[in-house]
């Protein structure tokens, strides 16, 4: 849970999020919801807070602005499915409207309005699309609840039930579209198509807060199991399995490394550990999980992203545009770590 000083810093910089979102929004089409940009900016602010390293002698305000702007632009790239030619034509139409407005002294729409009103079936598509757009989720509330669950000050399962309610109330894309976005091979997988090497993924029951592990023995469809393990509350839809709704297993822990208890050797890859004070706070639950493995007699090796990998990931791990840079940075880090891992595995 955020302490008083951390909450003060975050609240102090929230106006910057809206300021940057407004500046970017001024250059976008009118149907783009500014609250969507603000929500992405809050994610960027939290990312800056978790990765900020005071030892680099950079002011947090400057670093936060960089992260906030990047998160907003990333969100726009992720949502932009239109080809370049369509965007070019859209800009041409907007320029034509600007020129005509200047020449005629009023907007072309004011002149065309009476004509359109006479049409048999008026279809105000832009307004309808805008009305159907999901509202921006309160991501700051989600982060606070996640911190609260990790702090141990309240029953974690009770807090997860509250996060589950948040997930169920959110307006997102539908389940089928979300699952289809994982790629054809996974989306079309059959119930028995689980990998044969003991693969498992995790989720949390939205109504009870119960933590579950999906594997081949669970008899759950692979596509829905994986989708539920990626269902970030408020951003993606809760996934239906056996008549119940499930969300990301990361609501219990960002790593869930303690599930490997009983194995002789465990390699833990934690992709969300950054730098600075927030990283130290995130490491505490992970260290508890690693200690569980050690207490059970196992050897543990931990890998966290180096600076180049963390930069390549960006604020949104689900952004497909970051995949090439992330793969390259991860490959380079893997090559540097290979010799040590070879000794670890023996």
């Amino acid at each position: 849970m955020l302490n008083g000083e951390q909450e003060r810093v975050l609240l102090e910089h929230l106006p910057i999020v809206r300021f940057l979102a407004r500046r970017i929004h001024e250059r976008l089409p009118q149907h783009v919801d500014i609250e969507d940009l603000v929500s992405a900016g809050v994610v960027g602010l939290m990312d800056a807070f978790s990765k900020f390293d005071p030892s680099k002698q950079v002011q947090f305000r400057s670093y936060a602005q960089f992260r906030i702007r990047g998160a907003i632009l990333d969100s726009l790239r992720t949502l932009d499915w239109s080809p370049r030619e369509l965007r070019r034509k859209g800009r041409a139409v907007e320029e034509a409207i600007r020129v005509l407005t200047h020449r005629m002294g009023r907007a072309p729409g004011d002149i065309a309005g009476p004509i359109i009103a006479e049409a048999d079936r008026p279809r105000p598509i832009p307004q309808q699309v805008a009305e159907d757009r999901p509202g921006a989720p309160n991501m700051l509330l989600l982060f606070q609840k996640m911190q609260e669950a990790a702090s141990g000050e309240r029953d974690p399962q009770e807090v997860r039930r509250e996060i589950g309610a948040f997930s169920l109330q959110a307006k997102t894309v539908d389940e089928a579209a979300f699952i289809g976005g994982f790629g054809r091979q996974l989306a079309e997988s059959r119930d028995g198509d689980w990998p044969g090497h003991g693969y498992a993924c995790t989720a949390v029951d939205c109504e009870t807060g119960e933590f579950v592990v999906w594997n081949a023995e669970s008899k759950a469809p692979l596509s829905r199991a994986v989708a539920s393990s990626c269902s970030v509350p408020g951003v993606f839809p809760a996934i239906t399995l056996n008549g119940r709704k499930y969300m990301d297993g990361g609501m219990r822990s960002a790593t869930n490394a303690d599930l490997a208890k009983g194995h002789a050797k465990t390699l833990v890859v934690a992709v969300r550990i950054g730098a600075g004070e927030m990283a130290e706070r995130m490491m505490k639950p992970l260290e508890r999980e690693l200690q569980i493995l050690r207490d059970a007699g196992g050897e543990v090796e931990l890998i966290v992203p180096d600076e180049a990998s963390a930069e390549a990931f960006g604020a949104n791990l689900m952004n497909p545009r970051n995949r090439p840079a992330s793969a390259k940075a991860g490959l380079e880090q893997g090559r540097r770590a290979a010799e040590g891992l070879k000794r670890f595995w023996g």
Side-chain angles (χ1 to χ4, degrees), residues 93 96-102 104-116:
V93 171
I97 292 175
R98 187 190 66 79
V99 172
L100 289 172
T101 300
H102 176 73
M104 296 184 297
R106 57 177 177 161
D110 294 341
I111 300 174
I115 301 173
I116 295 175

Side-chain angles (χ1 to χ4, degrees), residues 248-275:
D248 186 357
M251 298 305 105
R252 172 187 181 260
S253 162
T255 48
N256 292 309
D258 53 313
L259 295 180
K261 179 181 177 181
H263 288 273
K265 293 186 177 183
T266 303
L267 174 64
V268 178
V269 181
V271 299
R272 255 313 183 203
I273 303 296

Side-chain angles (χ1 to χ4, degrees), residues 30-44:
Q30 294 182 357
H31 69 270
V32 177
D33 190 345
I34 189 173
E35 294 304 322
D36 288 346
L37 306 189
V38 172
S39 178
V42 170
V43 174

